[in-house]
Amino acid sequence: MFERFTEDARQLVVEAQAQARALGHGWIGTEHLLLAAAGPDSSLRPTLDALGLTQQALQDEVTRVLGRLATADPSSDHDADALRGIGIDIDAVRRRVEDQFGPGALDAPAPAPTRRLRRLRSRARSIGRDPHRGHIPFTRKAKKGLVLALREAVGLHSGEIASGHVLLGILGTDGLAVTVVVTLGVEPDDLRAVVLDQLRRAA
């Protein structure tokens, strides 16, 4: 599929990898493709900037969301309050587990990992924890976004997949990119309409 990408779209994918590396992420998600679309060399930057989706604003939101998820500790007061807010009482859960499995059951050391689990963890360390070396894989949603980019190009009777098609593709997923766009006050359908208009005018 990548052989059908325009130079601009290929550069967007390369920049998405650079964004993932810069953020210390061991994956390329829809959020990294969105960050790349807002980059200084992207043809989509003026469009995104005009809607307030600057690369800095996007990066701040991605870091905020992923930072919270990465550092979430269910035993902390803040997270216990958040869980309580959606109807989960962490203390009650702990009591039920200890009633069933004995005191300190949640604090017990994990069983020794199997050989397969050790191999998977080793691979995760080489890919996920050290994004500065080796291949960084696309997430399932990012792959879906790229497949949808191809569909968008075909639907618009384009022989090539441009960066605009990639952006339309990731907007068609339920990945973090869409969440970030909405959080920053932009309706995905509005962004989609603007990008579609640009692609049609460029055809």
Side-chain angles (χ1 to χ4, degrees):
M1 180 171 68
F2 285 110
E3 67 275 4
R4 296 183 63 178
F5 275 44
T6 63
E7 185 56 38
D8 192 43
R10 289 183 190 196
Q11 189 54 45
L12 187 148
V13 173
V14 169
E15 178 60 21
Q17 179 172 268
Q19 287 293 326
R21 288 189 195 282
L23 292 169
H25 298 161
W27 69 91
I28 300 171
T30 60
E31 64 274 19
H32 303 111
L33 291 165
L34 178 61
L35 284 169
D41 298 323
S42 171
S43 61
L44 295 166
R45 180 180 185 165
T47 302
L48 293 170
D49 280 0
L51 293 169
L53 300 174
T54 65
Q55 191 177 52
Q56 187 61 58
L58 294 168
Q59 191 174 70
D60 289 347
E61 184 59 20
V62 167
T63 302
R64 185 187 71 78
V65 172
L66 292 177
R68 186 182 70 238
L69 293 175
T71 60
D73 175 4
S75 65
S76 74
D77 290 340
H78 176 74
D79 291 318
D81 289 342
L83 289 170
R84 217 170 276 118
I86 58 171
I88 299 172
D89 184 339
I90 197 72
D91 295 326
V93 170
R94 180 176 286 277
R95 280 193 302 276
R96 274 185 292 222
V97 170
E98 291 188 346
D99 287 346
Q100 181 85 21
F101 299 103
L106 291 174
D107 304 320
T114 63
R115 185 185 323 180
R116 182 171 182 271
L117 185 54
R118 283 196 299 271
R119 193 167 59 245
L120 288 171
R121 284 179 179 170
S122 172
R123 184 162 184 256
R125 279 194 295 274
S126 67
I127 293 175
R129 291 193 185 170
D130 188 1
H132 302 290
R133 47 189 293 263
H135 170 70
I136 302 180
F138 287 96
T139 63
R140 182 178 52 81
K141 290 177 182 178
K143 288 178 185 176
K144 178 182 177 183
L146 295 175
V147 169
L148 291 175
L150 172 60
R151 290 185 189 169
E152 293 285 356
V154 170
L156 291 168
H157 308 291
S158 173
E160 296 180 305
I161 300 168
S163 56
H165 298 121
V166 175
L167 181 53
L168 291 176
I170 63 175
L171 289 174
T173 73
D174 60 348
L176 181 55
V178 173
T179 303
V180 167
V181 166
V182 171
T183 302
L184 293 175
V186 177
E187 284 300 317
D189 286 346
D190 293 343
L191 176 54
R192 178 179 170 78
V194 172
V195 175
L196 272 171
D197 183 56
Q198 288 183 340
L199 286 167
R200 286 173 178 140
R201 282 190 282 109

